[in-house]
Amino acid sequence: MMKPVVPEVVDVLWITAGLSCDGDTVSMTAATQPSIEELIKGALPGVPKLRLHNPVLARENGDEFMRRYEDASQGLIDPFILVIEGSIPDETNKAEGYWAGFGTDRATGQPLTTCSWIDRLAPRAWAVVAAGTCA
């Protein structure tokens, strides 16, 4: 039996633009077994180093922050884990408007819905995680 190949680094694309539940991101920072610092530094044997992209915890903002999500949706980041925090709205139940957005469409200047990001990223993700009691 072949031993599974563990990647050296895994990007974690974390979307907090569902409907509520941002408290789960904050509670993650208090975890201790393992801690977020241990995961980011790659301090655990056999566990890949994580590059966390979370809008609440990120240094980047705007286009610089969204670039990772755009790159992943085009297959330029592999592997990555997609984390969706909070509930996912049904964007098909109304004639206009949207419930939850994440970023802006560069061509139109209009908000991109959280659902459109899920549709673009989930098929390419190494894993998809629903985070929070609303998930």
Side-chain angles (χ1 to χ4, degrees):
M1 178 178 222
M2 291 183 63
K3 189 174 181 180
V5 177
V6 177
E8 193 173 312
V9 178
V10 175
D11 286 87
V12 178
L13 304 178
W14 192 298
I15 296 178
T16 62
L19 300 177
S20 73
C21 285
D22 284 343
D24 296 302
T25 288
V26 175
S27 67
M28 177 186 66
T29 64
T32 58
Q33 294 183 7
S35 72
I36 190 171
E37 293 86 1
E38 289 172 315
L39 294 170
I40 291 171
K41 291 179 181 179
L44 302 172
V47 177
K49 179 179 179 178
L50 298 183
R51 278 191 295 239
L52 181 61
H53 309 285
N54 178 306
V56 176
L57 304 174
R59 290 185 208 181
E60 305 92 358
N61 58 52
D63 290 341
E64 183 181 3
F65 176 76
M66 294 304 297
R67 187 170 298 116
R68 300 280 190 263
Y69 294 81
E70 292 165 359
D71 287 350
S73 74
Q74 296 169 18
L76 302 175
I77 295 178
D78 185 35
F80 71 90
I81 296 171
L82 177 62
V83 177
I84 308 296
E85 185 170 338
S87 59
I88 299 169
D90 179 1
E91 297 290 0
T92 65
N93 67 358
K94 61 203 163 320
E96 58 184 64
Y98 64 97
W99 298 111
F102 185 65
T104 305
D105 185 314
R106 291 176 194 240
T108 66
Q110 295 298 306
L112 291 165
T113 65
T114 300
C115 290
S116 69
W117 279 110
I118 295 169
D119 290 343
R120 291 165 63 181
L121 293 170
R124 295 182 181 274
W126 197 37
V128 178
V129 177
T133 55
C134 298

